[in-house]
């Protein structure tokens, strides 16, 4: 079961162009492309005639042409040309999905079309603000998206899963605060007077003692934004003054494909050295390495759960964020089922 | 469900020799080999003793020897030697399949043995006639054979699937005639006064305006012969005088393996430059390329249909040939079920 | 269904060390490692917290640390440290398996823990005796272990499966004697006055006529020890005097993984040229080649049986050993089910 009536990431802005691209989102097969004016189209990925995936066709002008018999569809999914047919068969149309581009992502609406509201597109904080830069990557992951939500809402795992990069013992030692409302869950952790790990020391351009924060926010359906950073110790970051620090948002959008697979879009929005493309690439490479370590964990969990469906997850203190996030998901699913 | 009491292609003549070869035909596992005198044998591919596939054994004289314990079977499937056993176990025999060689193919009879009649072997037109030459290749295809029948009975797809080789817009523009009787379906298309595509211009050794024809004939269980060619425009080809043209038969025999896979034997019989082995190879290479494009289409359809079994094919004008072919298949299946 | 309350081979002694190793035995997922003092630990391979396989973690001191959140387990499966938790959750423990090291193998007890008795570990004859040496290898095999038991209890297959190495026609020609009791089945074959095959001629350092023996003994749950050798003809080997011969034990321990896969541990214990490491390696290489030929046979059988579950094995004279071994297995399964 998937949460409907939400916007899901279908790709990075640069991934969708004039060549049709296939995506599976919440078990729906979708083809995406851009019109000549770069506006986006998302259609059901199946020609109504002989069921060839339309993603095996090509784009001509603003239309998607089926690769089998040349049926042409416009961006609304209507068949507008049928070679060798005098009249167009009324059933020969495909479902069109609301699709928007925002904050470097292409978003597709899964649910009732009339409820699609661009104002509901999840916010990637600062992603489109001047003075900030945003880049990242993608992984196809063989697990249900919920396991990645758990992972991101409990960063105490960093000490064990990422010991050589971002993990440090202080993460495990400092208890986070968890709070939630009807739409989001936040886990906030402050580590005071710590030696910054190499990544942050480099970016702060200082090895002095720091305060470090990790503020993870889950919002429905499946997104986790993590406000991270360090500031020189005692300069008031926790009280709101980050002027003596560097900060970024670790972006995590998990788009469900099937019950046991998802497509994981990750990246970082930052406000330091934003014109340093080498740094942008370095951060992306480092994130790719870190998230690959997570991928091995969550795929290991999923494989175990598939082998032993009778086994249940146990919840400890550290899982509070994930537990509340899953509770939000379950409530939304239950509400949708009514 | 498969059509029984038909001959199916089990291989090219040169594929079956003194080394046992395994084939799956209509879900039956069969092993083929030749006796010392080159005559053919087709047996159930399973030793009755410990169930090793007999295709993992070897041929000695006229017998197939099991690779596990040396049981020997003759071409009728009788066990004629059992090392270390004093008497031969009465159950130790395997089913033998009627098998014949004709028109460069090895054909196996699937159905009631007593109904096997060599006169019923489908005809590959001209394949064994003097003045003609026949060669081709094979693809294992991940789709039910019916999707390939559809494909071959509607050549309007050539414009879109094979634009760089045999496709030309005139194919889509000229409506074909469809006719059928109890045993066959024919789709006949004539394109008059057209510029011949490169393949035909080369073989006609002329770039003059031509009449081009494509006459597709489906016969049960799963074969489509396509009479193709061009003649100088207005020289009476449509009335039967092909003396100013070149012609060939595109051979398509689709042998069902399972409900969703088949083995596709394709080739061309031609009556021009028949001693030019380089041309024979060139045609084979070109056909391999063209049919590989079809393979991507039909496998795309099949994958979509497996993901969404609720989706149904729509039939347009252009599908008339395939629709009638499937009707023949369905009638034959229904008759067999009575 | 698997035989419980038996010791199964989980690995060669050198395979299990300070890095956790995952094994599936009788459908149970198990992780093995050694403590600092080299003593062995076998635990359920699943962290009770978030179900990450513990084999994805690491060993620290005597403890296994989960690779996700750092939970630490001792060799009894008790959770002895939980970062960030004040009290240890009572459910946070894993099953520990009795595990012993004997005769170069690591053995795990599958069944009721209180019944685990080291005295019940199957004996590998001579493996730990002075004057003998034992080495071998492992194959993962896509078949139920029973097919390998059949294979090893009827060496008449050597003539057909291993014609280029250990097979010789005399094996098929000499009928073996089969005897059994409640715990074992033995198939004994003597070939008198034969020319020894190359392997034995080399090791006997003589090409003279020999007596050759193969004495296969199956014991529950799934082990077959084969006493093999040759002695100069008529020197009394069959009466017990092997002083004019060379001898070895072909060791075969098949550990069930699932109903249709197993892990096959094979090797040879010998008492000739025991310090010749080159010979040890040569024998291992030769066995690897021979057992790979068997692997193709048993996997071919299993695939055929999965395609055609209605097909039943036939039993001939030569199968007497395997038939009785399976009868022992079936009786033990029936007794366990009571």
């Amino acid at each position: 079961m998937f949460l409907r009536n939400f916007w899901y990431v279908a790709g990075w802005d640069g991934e969708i162009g004039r060549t049709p691209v296939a995506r599976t989102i919440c078990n729906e097969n979708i083809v995406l492309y851009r019109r000549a004016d770069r506006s986006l189209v998302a259609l059901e990925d199946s020609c109504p005639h002989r069921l060839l995936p339309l993603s095996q066709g090509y784009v001509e002008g603003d239309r998607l042409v089926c690769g089998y018999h040349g049926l042409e569809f416009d961006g609304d999914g209507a068949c507008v040309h049928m070679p060798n047919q005098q009249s167009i068969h009324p059933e020969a149309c495909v479902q069109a999905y609301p699709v928007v581009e925002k904050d470097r992502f292409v978003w597709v609406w899964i649910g009732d079309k009339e409820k699609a509201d661009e104002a509901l597109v999840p916010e990637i904080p600062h992603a489109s603000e001047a003075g900030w830069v945003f880049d990242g990557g993608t992984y196809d992951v063989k697990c249900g998206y919920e396991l990645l939500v758990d992972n991101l809402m409990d960063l105490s795992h960093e000490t064990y899963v990422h010991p050589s990069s971002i993990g440090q013992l202080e993460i495990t030692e400092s208890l986070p605060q968890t709070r939630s409302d009807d739409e989001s869950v936040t886990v906030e952790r402050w580590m005071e007077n710590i030696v910054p790990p190499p990544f942050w020391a480099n970016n702060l351009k200082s090895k002095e003692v720091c305060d470090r924060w990790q503020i993870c926010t889950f919002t429905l359906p499946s997104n986790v934004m993590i406000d991270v950073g360090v500031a020189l110790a005692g300069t008031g970051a926790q009280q709101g003054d980050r002027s003596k620090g560097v900060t970024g948002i670790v972006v995590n959008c998990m788009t469900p494909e099937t019950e046991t697979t998802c497509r994981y879009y990750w990246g970082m929005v930052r406000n330091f050295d934003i014109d340093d493309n080498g740094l942008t690439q370095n951060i992306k490479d480092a994130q790719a390495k870190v998230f690959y370590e997570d991928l091995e964990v969550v795929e290991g969990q999923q494989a175990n759960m598939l082998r032993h469906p009778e086994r249940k997850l146990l919840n400890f203190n550290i899982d509070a964020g994930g537990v509340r996030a899953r509770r939000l998901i379950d409530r939304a699913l239950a509400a949708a089922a009514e």
Side-chain angles (χ1 to χ4, degrees), chain A:
Chain A
M1 269 199 315
F2 299 108
L3 285 171
R4 293 172 62 78
N5 295 317
F6 281 99
W7 293 99
Y8 287 96
V9 176
W12 287 91
D13 48 9
E15 283 182 307
I16 314 297
R18 297 285 286 167
T19 300
V21 166
R23 288 281 185 270
T24 301
I25 304 180
C26 301
N27 265 337
E28 306 199 18
N29 297 109
I30 299 172
V31 53
L32 295 118
Y33 69 95
R34 287 183 192 270
R35 293 188 191 85
D37 67 0
R38 309 286 301 159
S39 64
L40 286 157
V41 175
L43 300 176
E44 191 183 346
D45 189 14
S46 178
C47 180
H49 175 214
R50 307 305 289 180
L51 303 182
L52 186 72
L54 288 169
S55 52
Q56 290 186 228
Y58 55 92
V59 175
E60 207 163 77
D62 290 349
R63 298 172 172 186
L64 183 56
V65 184
C66 178
Y68 202 171
H69 300 94
L71 273 71
E72 298 181 13
F73 299 87
D74 69 13
D76 297 323
C79 183
V80 288
H81 180 63
M82 223 177 248
N84 233 337
Q85 293 284 118
Q86 297 183 326
S87 60
I88 287 176
H89 196 293
E91 288 184 50
C93 59
V94 292
Q95 187 187 342
Y97 291 82
V99 56
V100 299
E101 185 169 359
K102 190 164 161 267
D103 294 341
R104 296 224 41 212
F105 284 136
V106 171
W107 303 81
V108 164
W109 177 261
I110 299 293
D112 305 326
K113 237 168 145 167
E114 61 277 16
K115 295 185 181 163
D117 179 351
E118 231 179 290
L120 298 174
V121 175
E123 191 200 3
I124 309 294
H126 312 298
S128 303
E129 261 174 52
W132 296 74
V133 65
F134 175 32
D135 203 8
T138 313
Y139 278 128
D140 285 305
V141 191
K142 290 190 212 66
C143 79
Y145 72 96
E146 300 92 334
L147 290 175
L148 275 164
V149 172
D150 294 345
N151 174 287
L152 294 158
M153 292 299 280
D154 163 28
L155 298 187
S156 75
H157 78 265
E158 293 185 353
T159 311
Y160 299 93
V161 180
H162 316 300
S164 66
S165 54
I166 54 173
Q168 62 176 171
L169 207 55
E170 286 87 348
I171 297 174
T172 317
E173 286 170 351
S174 54
L175 274 176
Q177 300 299 317
T178 304
R179 59 184 182 274
S180 56
D181 57 28
D182 285 353
E183 294 182 337
S184 70
V185 180
T186 296
V187 176
E188 182 162 353
R189 171 185 277 115
W190 285 86
M191 293 153 271
E192 294 175 2
N193 298 309
I194 60 150
V195 177
F199 173 79
W200 286 117
N202 287 341
N203 289 314
L204 187 62
K205 297 174 183 73
S206 158
K207 290 183 179 171
E208 283 181 63
V209 167
C210 282
D211 297 336
R212 180 182 176 187
W213 64 91
Q214 296 173 321
I215 307 170
C216 310
T217 302
F218 167 83
T219 52
L220 289 173
S222 54
N223 304 308
V224 178
M225 302 298 140
I226 312 182
D227 173 3
V228 291
V230 295
L232 293 179
T235 57
Q238 194 161 0
Q239 290 71 41
D241 176 5
R242 295 183 176 183
S243 61
K244 297 288 180 294
V246 285
T247 187
I249 306 289
V250 178
V251 173
N252 306 277
C253 296
M254 282 73 69
T255 300
E257 286 192 342
T258 68
E259 297 288 343
T260 56
T261 60
C262 64
R263 199 165 166 92
Y264 176 19
Y265 299 90
W266 47 262
M268 186 179 232
V269 194
R270 75 176 196 276
N271 68 352
F272 50 91
D273 298 321
I274 64 169
D275 297 321
D276 183 343
N277 292 332
L279 178 62
T280 301
Q281 186 61 45
N282 286 349
I283 291 176
K284 200 159 124 179
D285 292 346
Q287 285 193 303
K289 195 165 161 285
V290 163
F291 293 136
Y292 192 84
E293 292 170 337
D294 288 307
L295 189 152
E296 293 182 312
V297 165
V298 292
E299 292 190 344
Q301 290 179 280
Q302 183 71 65
N304 188 6
M305 292 165 73
L306 287 172
R307 274 194 304 268
H308 298 280
E310 76 288 359
R311 290 184 181 163
K312 298 297 166 216
L313 299 165
L314 279 187
N315 296 318
F316 296 162
N317 296 346
I318 53 174
D319 303 304
V323 166
R324 293 205 205 179
R326 283 173 178 252
R327 212 177 286 153
L328 275 195
I329 294 170
D330 289 342
R331 266 189 221 147
L333 284 170
E338 270 171 20

